[in-house]
Amino acid sequence: MPTSFTVVPVEAQGEERGPAEPDGQRLEDEEDDERDRVSGDGTARESSPFINNAEMDRANMYEGKNMALFEEEMDSNPMVSSLLNKLANYTNLTQGVVEHEADEDSKRKEVKVPRMGTFIGVYLPCLQNILGVILFLRLTWIVGTAGVLESFIIVFMCCACTMLTAISMSAIATNGVVPAGGSYYMISRSLGPEFGGAVGLCFYLGTTFAGAMYILGTIEILLTYISPSAAIFKAESAADEAEAMLNNMRVYGTCIIILMAIVVFVGVKYVNKLALVFLACVILSIIAIYAGVIKTAFDPPDFPICLLGNRTLSKRSFDVCAKFTESNNETKTTTLWSLFCDSSLLNATCDDYFSLNNVTEIQGIPGIMSGVLSDNLWSTYSEKGSIVEKKAQSSVAASEETKMGELPYVFTDIMTYFTMLVGIYFPSVTGIMAGSNRSGDLKDAQKSIPTGTILAISTTSFIYLSCIVLFGACIEGVILRDKFGEAVNGNLVVGTLAWPSPWVIVIGSFFSTCGAGLQSLTGAPRLLQAIARDGIVPFIQVFGHGKANGEPTWALLLTAGICEIGILIASLDSVAPILSMFFLMCYMFVNLACAVQTLLRTPNWRPRFKYYHWTLSFLGMSLCLALMFICSWYYALIAMLIAGCIYKYIEYRGAEKEWGDGIRGLSLNAARYALLRVEDGPPHTKNWRPQLLVLLNLDSEQLVKHPRLLSFTSQLKAGKGLTIVGSVLQGVYLDKCTEAQKAEENVKALMGVEKTKGFCQIVVSPNFRDGISYLIQSAGLGGMKHNTVLMAWPQSWKETENRFSWKNFVDTVRETTAAQQALLVAKNIDLFPTNQERFTEGNIDVWWIVHDGGMLMLLPFLLRQHKVWRKCKMRIFTVAQMDDNSIQMKKDLQMFLYHLRLNAEVEVVEMFENDISAFTYEKTLMMEQRSQMLKQMQLSKNEREREAQLIHDRNTASHSAPAVKASVAAAVPEKVQMTWTKEKFVAEKHKNKDSNASGFKDIFNMKPNQSNVRRMHTAVKLNGVVLNKSQHAQLVLLNMPGPPKNRKGDENYMEFLEVLTEGLDRVLLVRGSGREVITIYS
């Protein structure tokens, strides 16, 4: 039996439960939460592996005092001098949508309209949009030019393209509710806001140019077939006719577009009501064509054509198709004679071709039984200005005439070829989205859209394909190629075939093109308004506004303006390929959306329409792309460039939308595939780059304490590689989850300001140290894990209230070493430059003490890629001991840098062996005394304070109830006494006084540890050398010595580092990961 599941998001549960639950239930839940929190043991765990487990006695190896601070590193990181000695042998080491839709739909005003079925709501609107101007004005000409066979191929390709697109569209439209917005809504929600905006605007431009095409068709019918005398511009000669016609188109087109825009603005409801009237005109016209074809079988209409030889003559200039006539035994020349001869006399000088060839008259429509189909099977492409000829007719060739344009022949107005005809024809199959655009008005959109659309495409495809065959079988070829019907007295060619009268077609096509133009001017502004209201393209948001009733006034003005561009082009044959591009691009992305969703198998992809497959969608997409380049490769490139620019603009400036789109799913799949391909191990040295884990400190308001750390990150990374910005909140996650979300928002906002591209990860942990450990261990995924940790130096480590800060810092150093990760510590981070600053001069000084795999060399190179550090010079210093040849070291280092392709000044600093100064001895003594005193002060606290602190700490750690507190106190009777008598208190007080006095006496009598003295000596001497050379450097990079293996010396380690970097403004302490990160090999 089927099972129903209701899945409610966690946030939603909380929101829904609030007002509905009684207070008692909520109280019980809170008590349960408290019990859950108490159930943990609350013990703070430490994870502190040693850096080097193997203990080696190397006292005899490093008897010198200069490098004592680094002696822990010598087994893994060799001295630079020993590295450079082996330069010749240098080698690499191997190595949900629901929330969004609810929000968006709440902004839309619901309009109650009668619900429509499949026939009225989808089938008829699609029929009206598909059948139109091209069928009446250009299909006969396409058949005559391309021939029946090639025309059949053109129409079949275009219809197949729309059928495949309709199948994909049906799958998308039935995968959930599609509100108003039609194709734009489907594409944007399937492929994301970038594709949706780009394709939506392309679809808008296509619809707008379609309006221009329909208006041009209306004017062509008016001025060519209904009232030629209405032309404003008259042609003085036959050669000027084309130019005059274009100017008439421009003037009339501008007037009509203004008129139509006013009609749409004032009464759009009347446009919708007249839609059925316009559709009736189209259907009646088509019925008249079929009726005319049937009639030609037994009674062909009388439309004679006049031929001179095999050349077709235009009957606009003469009436009688003869050279002369016999009247009362008198031979008189005709008007035709005077057109070809210099006078009306029989002995006049005439055109050679006219003299050599006879004038004949044939029937323009011989009928379906005449067998003319065989003559019209093959193509007859021609150049611009060539004469329309009947190839089967015999003729006598003559010398080339000089004034061909002035003779009454029928000329071709444009050059014709197969691909151009595809571009002109394709707009006649557009309009398949009409049903999906009305999805909000349908009773059952998921049933009506597939059925109605596919049925409409099947019907129109049958009409187009049958018309091609019938036109080729009924009409003479020269008439078919006569675009404007000049050979048949200026009649519309398809009208000559119709029954009962050509005027049925003329009037029907006039009203249908008017209606289609009005529909385009009604639909396009609404599409633009839908895109503008989505807020994904900022610069068009003004077009989302309109009248109080929601009519898109501003969008209508823009649409009329763009339409005017098409009108100024003035040629239907030039405008048609433009809108073909935009429609084809839209259809291509509908197919892509369906293919992507099907291949991704997303759980939400469950269309009710089952007759789809990704191969069909892919075939449709490929066909759309092919048709784009077949129509016009340069228009295709321009359309793709426009769409690409809009895509990048939305990506760069547009509002971020999460629509659960397929491209996001595709990105996730691609990311998963890439992560699985990336080896879960170290990359090759040539591919190594610092993948950073940036450890931030937050204040009590969850704001970042040191924003300059993110500035430095963006300067170091410049958007390349992986950056994870992490921070730790102390506490229990159930209590701190809100604060963690706030902290994440604050960090992400700062990352946006500092242009740090990466990921944010906030960890809530019972204590700060464990949280840092979790981040170091678990940040990243698979092969995309960090290899370098960047953190700020704890400036306040000496303050007693921050007694844990230095412990956390030293443990972090240990853990990065244990994890084989590099460590960068920025000292005086607040003095580091912002991204807006620019250093016009200065140096980045590298102090290379021990070899760390090349990190010190690589970091300045990466920093100098950024504008802040670009003008700084790189200087490398290294230290020579007594037994080192400093001259040879400098040469070797210069050669090494040459092979590394790095430009840097090189200097070798000599550090001579000398006695430990009294200052060093005294500084070490003060350091150890301070450390011992802090320990004594810590031990000298009275037992009452210890008791209170212990209970408080345990309460904080375990969040225990009062009963649990009592049990904890009872478990430690030796350490905590719950009752005190006066005698016990006095005895304890005297005991503490004695122990304290003896302890402080020991402090002032102690002698410093010799190992610490040697380390302090190294720190003091190195600091003096660095200050001498690099005090004014913009940045100093320095090898960071490792912490001691004995944890008792951790505080001394902090003192050593403080002394080592004293007096320097900006310091970056660098600790390598123990592997090579830079190579001399290609």
Side-chain angles (χ1 to χ4, degrees):
M1 97 184 241
T3 307
S4 298
F5 293 96
T6 303
V7 182
V8 182
V10 175
E11 296 86 356
Q13 287 177 348
E15 290 165 8
E16 290 167 16
R17 187 178 63 188
E21 280 185 343
D23 290 338
Q25 178 66 39
R26 204 175 306 147
L27 194 61
E28 286 176 21
D29 288 346
E30 287 172 5
E31 288 173 2
D32 289 342
D33 291 345
E34 185 66 20
R35 281 197 297 273
D36 290 342
R37 287 197 291 271
V38 170
S39 62
D41 59 3
T43 309
R45 297 176 178 83
E46 287 204 357
S47 173
S48 51
F50 271 10
I51 297 171
N52 296 307
N53 292 325
E55 292 290 331
M56 295 173 63
D57 183 17
R58 299 191 314 279
N60 57 340
M61 294 171 63
Y62 304 108
E63 293 176 355
K65 298 179 286 293
N66 282 341
M67 292 295 114
L69 188 58
F70 293 95
E71 64 187 24
E72 299 284 356
E73 313 300 306
M74 296 304 180
D75 55 345
S76 59
N77 298 333
M79 288 293 295
V80 174
S81 55
S82 62
L83 172 85
L84 293 174
N85 285 335
K86 300 172 182 176
L87 181 63
N89 297 322
Y90 183 81
T91 55
N92 297 330
L93 297 177
T94 54
Q95 328 280 128
V97 186
V98 176
E99 292 78 15
H100 167 80
E101 302 304 349
D103 178 54
E104 293 293 300
D105 290 344
S106 67
K107 298 176 187 175
R108 296 191 177 97
K109 293 179 181 177
E110 287 193 13
V111 182
K112 296 293 180 185
V113 290
R115 299 292 179 181
M116 295 183 288
T118 303
F119 187 74
I120 297 292
V122 181
Y123 181 75
L124 291 182
C126 284
L127 218 61
Q128 181 189 358
N129 279 266
I130 295 171
L131 299 171
V133 63
I134 301 293
L135 170 65
F136 300 119
L137 295 184
R138 292 291 181 270
L139 191 60
T140 52
W141 172 71
I142 289 171
V143 173
T145 306
V148 172
L149 293 179
E150 288 185 27
S151 300
F152 201 90
I153 292 170
I154 291 172
V155 174
F156 183 79
M157 273 199 307
C158 296
C159 292
C161 176
T162 53
M163 180 61 83
L164 291 169
T165 304
I167 291 169
S168 299
M169 185 193 72
S170 300
I172 297 170
T174 58
N175 187 50
V177 179
V178 178
S183 60
Y184 160 69
Y185 186 93
M186 288 189 294
I187 294 169
S188 62
R189 270 53 175 185
S190 296
L191 293 178
E194 293 88 359
F195 277 112
V199 179
L201 285 176
C202 283
F203 191 54
Y204 162 75
L205 290 172
T207 309
T208 306
F209 274 106
M213 185 188 75
Y214 291 130
I215 291 169
L216 290 173
T218 304
I219 303 162
E220 186 177 309
I221 293 167
L222 176 69
L223 296 182
T224 308
Y225 307 114
I226 296 177
S227 177
S229 58
I232 298 170
F233 297 91
K234 307 286 185 182
E236 294 179 1
S237 65
D240 299 333
E241 278 186 13
E243 190 62 36
M245 186 64 177
L246 292 179
N247 290 329
N248 286 320
M249 289 269 197
R250 291 178 182 119
V251 173
Y252 274 97
T254 306
C255 296
I256 288 178
I257 204 167
I258 292 169
L259 188 65
M260 283 186 173
I262 292 169
V263 169
V264 172
F265 179 76
V266 173
V268 70
K269 57 187 176 202
Y270 300 114
V271 175
N272 293 329
K273 285 179 180 177
L274 287 170
L276 284 175
V277 176
F278 297 138
L279 177 60
C281 292
V282 175
I283 293 171
L284 283 173
S285 301
I286 291 168
I287 291 170
I289 291 170
Y290 281 109
V293 169
I294 295 168
K295 183 175 176 291
T296 62
F298 52 86
D299 183 16
D302 183 29
F303 278 101
I305 309 166
C306 192
L307 299 177
L308 175 62
N310 66 351
R311 296 177 179 179
T312 313
L313 296 175
S314 171
K315 277 201 171 179
R316 290 178 187 269
S317 311
F318 63 93
D319 298 322
V320 180
C321 182
K323 290 183 180 182
F324 36 78
T325 56
E326 295 286 341
S327 176
N328 299 323
N329 295 324
E330 185 181 351
T331 304
K332 291 183 180 179
T333 57
T334 59
T335 310
L336 182 62
W337 178 280
S338 60
L339 291 172
F340 281 91
C341 302
D342 57 5
S343 74
S344 59
L345 301 174
L346 287 171
N347 60 354
T349 306
C350 297
D351 178 78
D352 286 347
Y353 190 85
F354 182 75
S355 303
L356 294 171
N357 290 278
N358 295 323
V359 175
T360 55
E361 198 170 47
I362 61 170
Q363 275 300 325
I365 302 178
I368 196 168
M369 308 301 287
S370 64
V372 76
L373 179 64
S374 59
D375 297 334
N376 293 330
L377 280 177
W378 312 108
S379 60
T380 313
Y381 300 117
S382 56
E383 297 289 326
K384 180 180 179 180
S386 58
I387 302 169
V388 176
E389 298 176 342
K390 180 175 171 60
K391 294 212 175 149
Q393 192 84 2
S394 61
S395 67
V396 179
S399 60
E400 195 66 32
E401 296 87 347
T402 54
K403 298 181 181 179
M404 287 282 286
E406 297 177 2
L407 299 176
Y409 293 125
V410 177
F411 295 99
T412 55
D413 63 332
I414 54 173
M415 186 173 73
T416 52
Y417 44 92
F418 179 81
T419 55
M420 185 266 284
L421 296 180
V422 175
I424 291 174
Y425 173 75
F426 188 81
S428 67
V429 295
T430 59
I432 62 170
M433 300 288 184
S436 62
N437 289 346
R438 296 169 182 240
S439 55
D441 304 332
L442 301 172
K443 273 185 204 168
D444 186 358
Q446 299 193 354
K447 178 184 174 186
S448 297
I449 288 175
T451 310
T453 306
I454 291 172
L455 207 59
I457 293 172
S458 303
T459 306
T460 52
S461 299
F462 171 77
I463 290 171
Y464 281 127
L465 291 170
S466 62
C467 280
I468 285 172
V469 177
L470 295 175
F471 290 164
C474 293
I475 305 173
E476 183 62 55
V478 289
I479 296 290
L480 289 172
R481 292 194 292 281
D482 181 6
K483 187 187 287 187
F484 302 109
E486 293 177 38
V488 283
N489 300 320
N491 279 303
L492 182 62
V493 173
V494 70
T496 60
L497 182 63
W499 180 86
S501 166
W503 286 100
V504 175
I505 299 289
V506 172
I507 302 300
S509 60
F510 178 79
F511 280 115
S512 77
T513 49
C514 272
L518 278 170
Q519 290 284 354
S520 296
L521 281 180
T522 307
R526 279 161 178 70
L527 179 60
L528 182 64
Q529 187 182 44
I531 300 169
R533 284 184 173 175
D534 260 342
I536 58 171
V537 188
F539 72 85
I540 65 164
Q541 285 188 357
V542 66
F543 299 110
H545 309 300
K547 291 195 289 186
N549 62 353
E551 290 298 319
T553 312
W554 294 107
L556 177 61
L557 285 174
L558 179 68
T559 303
I562 297 172
C563 240
E564 180 62 22
I565 296 171
I567 296 297
L568 293 176
I569 294 171
S571 169
L572 190 147
D573 300 322
S574 300
V575 172
I578 296 174
L579 66 106
S580 293
M581 290 304 121
F582 292 124
F583 278 120
L584 279 166
M585 185 166 287
C586 177
Y587 297 166
M588 181 174 76
F589 281 103
V590 169
N591 285 300
L592 175 64
C594 182
V596 165
Q597 298 277 38
T598 308
L599 288 171
L600 286 179
R601 294 192 182 93
T602 49
N604 191 52
W605 180 246
R606 302 183 301 276
R608 289 191 182 277
F609 180 77
K610 300 298 181 186
Y611 306 102
Y612 70 94
H613 195 267
W614 71 266
T615 51
L616 293 176
S617 301
F618 188 78
L619 181 62
M621 185 181 73
S622 305
L623 193 53
C624 287
L625 189 63
L627 283 172
M628 282 177 71
F629 283 91
I630 285 171
C631 293
S632 173
W633 64 268
Y634 45 90
Y635 277 166
L637 291 177
I638 291 169
M640 292 169 86
L641 181 67
I642 291 170
C645 290
I646 297 168
Y647 178 95
K648 294 308 289 184
Y649 177 81
I650 296 171
E651 188 179 56
Y652 179 65
R653 290 294 304 274
E656 291 205 4
K657 299 280 183 181
E658 175 51 69
W659 289 334
D661 51 86
I663 291 297
R664 182 170 174 79
L666 193 63
S667 301
L668 289 171
N669 263 25
R672 171 183 159 276
Y673 176 76
L675 280 171
L676 291 173
R677 288 290 303 271
V678 174
E679 293 179 16
D680 191 6
H684 192 275
T685 304
K686 287 186 282 188
N687 297 327
W688 195 94
R689 65 166 67 242
Q691 316 283 21
L692 291 181
L693 169 62
V694 185
L695 298 178
L696 295 179
N697 288 326
L698 305 177
D699 59 17
S700 57
E701 298 295 320
Q702 316 309 332
L703 297 172
V704 177
K705 283 186 181 177
H706 303 293
R708 297 286 177 92
L709 199 60
L710 283 180
S711 304
F712 183 70
T713 303
S714 61
Q715 292 158 24
L716 186 62
K717 299 292 291 179
K720 304 294 190 296
L722 175 72
T723 303
I724 301 171
V725 180
S727 189
V728 176
L729 294 182
Q730 197 163 343
V732 178
Y733 183 69
L734 291 175
D735 299 335
K736 296 277 187 178
C737 58
T738 307
E739 291 178 38
Q741 288 174 358
K742 182 184 175 184
E744 186 170 352
E745 288 171 7
N746 292 340
V747 171
K748 283 183 176 177
L750 185 61
M751 288 171 71
V753 171
E754 298 294 344
K755 297 181 180 177
T756 305
K757 295 182 179 178
F759 309 98
C760 176
Q761 191 166 350
I762 305 295
V763 170
V764 180
S765 171
N767 64 65
F768 190 82
R769 184 195 167 289
D770 282 354
I772 294 290
S773 179
Y774 300 156
L775 278 173
I776 291 172
Q777 291 177 63
S778 62
L781 182 65
M784 287 295 284
K785 290 181 74 72
H786 62 278
N787 54 29
T788 305
V789 177
L790 172 62
M791 62 190 300
W793 172 262
Q795 300 284 3
S796 57
W797 69 272
K798 289 185 179 180
E799 297 174 13
T800 52
E801 61 267 22
N802 288 327
R803 64 178 189 274
F804 291 116
S805 68
W806 58 269
K807 279 187 172 295
N808 292 334
F809 176 81
V810 178
D811 284 336
T812 303
V813 176
R814 284 196 173 99
E815 284 174 354
T816 54
T817 308
Q820 295 183 329
Q821 294 169 5
L823 177 66
L824 310 178
V825 179
K827 194 161 186 283
N828 303 325
I829 185 63
D830 294 326
L831 299 178
F832 276 60
T834 63
N835 288 328
Q836 286 70 43
E837 293 179 47
R838 301 286 182 272
F839 288 133
T840 55
E841 58 181 3
N843 299 310
I844 299 175
D845 286 357
V846 176
W847 283 85
W848 198 19
I849 312 298
V850 294
H851 179 55
D852 58 354
M855 277 285 287
L856 282 168
M857 306 291 172
L858 192 60
L859 293 174
F861 170 77
L862 295 173
L863 279 174
R864 289 181 67 228
Q865 307 299 308
H866 197 273
K867 287 179 275 190
V868 173
W869 304 92
R870 189 164 292 159
K871 294 187 178 178
C872 293
K873 293 178 180 176
M874 181 176 165
R875 298 193 302 181
I876 296 182
F877 298 89
T878 190
V879 178
Q881 298 293 298
M882 281 291 292
D883 53 350
D884 290 329
N885 183 343
S886 57
I887 296 172
Q888 187 60 39
M889 275 182 70
K890 184 172 182 179
K891 286 181 180 177
D892 291 343
L893 184 53
Q894 286 173 334
M895 181 59 69
F896 182 45
L897 291 175
Y898 174 77
H899 286 307
L900 288 175
R901 290 91 63 202
L902 295 174
N903 295 319
E905 295 178 23
V906 174
E907 191 168 338
V908 177
V909 180
E910 295 181 344
M911 282 182 66
F912 297 110
E913 194 81 29
N914 57 2
D915 294 332
I916 294 171
S917 65
F919 170 77
T920 302
Y921 195 87
E922 185 181 353
K923 200 167 183 67
T924 311
L925 183 61
M926 285 172 63
M927 175 187 74
E928 293 189 356
Q929 285 175 347
R930 177 181 176 279
S931 179
Q932 192 65 27
M933 194 179 295
L934 284 170
K935 288 177 185 174
Q936 291 291 346
M937 285 169 66
Q938 189 68 24
L939 291 170
S940 67
K941 291 184 179 178
N942 59 50
E943 288 298 318
R944 186 184 296 277
E945 288 174 342
R946 286 180 57 206
E947 175 194 60
Q949 184 66 37
L950 182 64
I951 293 173
H952 177 267
D953 287 348
R954 290 194 174 246
N955 285 348
T956 305
S958 61
H959 297 267
S960 58
V964 179
K965 292 180 188 175
S967 67
V968 171
V972 284
E974 297 83 13
K975 292 188 180 179
V976 181
Q977 294 182 351
M978 299 302 290
T979 55
W980 288 78
T981 62
K982 188 177 179 182
E983 291 79 9
K984 280 184 182 179
F985 180 73
V986 173
E988 185 67 25
K989 194 174 177 183
H990 284 295
K991 178 178 155 190
N992 284 338
K993 272 186 181 177
D994 295 340
S995 63
N996 286 349
S998 63
F1000 284 115
K1001 198 180 290 181
D1002 290 342
I1003 289 173
F1004 294 111
N1005 292 332
M1006 68 186 291
K1007 290 185 178 181
N1009 181 286
Q1010 290 303 309
S1011 174
N1012 286 342
V1013 171
R1014 289 164 57 238
R1015 290 166 186 262
M1016 183 63 78
H1017 176 72
T1018 302
V1020 170
K1021 281 207 71 177
L1022 261 180
N1023 178 253
V1025 171
V1026 173
L1027 274 178
N1028 183 38
K1029 298 285 184 182
S1030 303
Q1031 188 166 11
H1032 301 294
Q1034 301 292 10
L1035 180 64
V1036 176
L1037 282 83
L1038 191 63
N1039 278 119
M1040 181 180 181
K1045 291 174 184 174
N1046 185 356
R1047 286 174 174 273
K1048 292 178 182 176
D1050 284 358
E1051 193 176 0
N1052 298 339
Y1053 171 69
M1054 297 295 289
E1055 192 71 49
F1056 294 144
L1057 294 181
E1058 195 73 69
V1059 170
L1060 181 64
T1061 56
E1062 197 172 0
L1064 298 170
D1065 286 343
R1066 302 182 195 92
V1067 183
L1068 189 66
L1069 293 169
V1070 180
R1071 185 164 171 74
S1073 60
R1075 56 156 296 168
E1076 295 297 323
V1077 300
I1078 194 167
T1079 175
I1080 63 174
Y1081 299 105
S1082 61

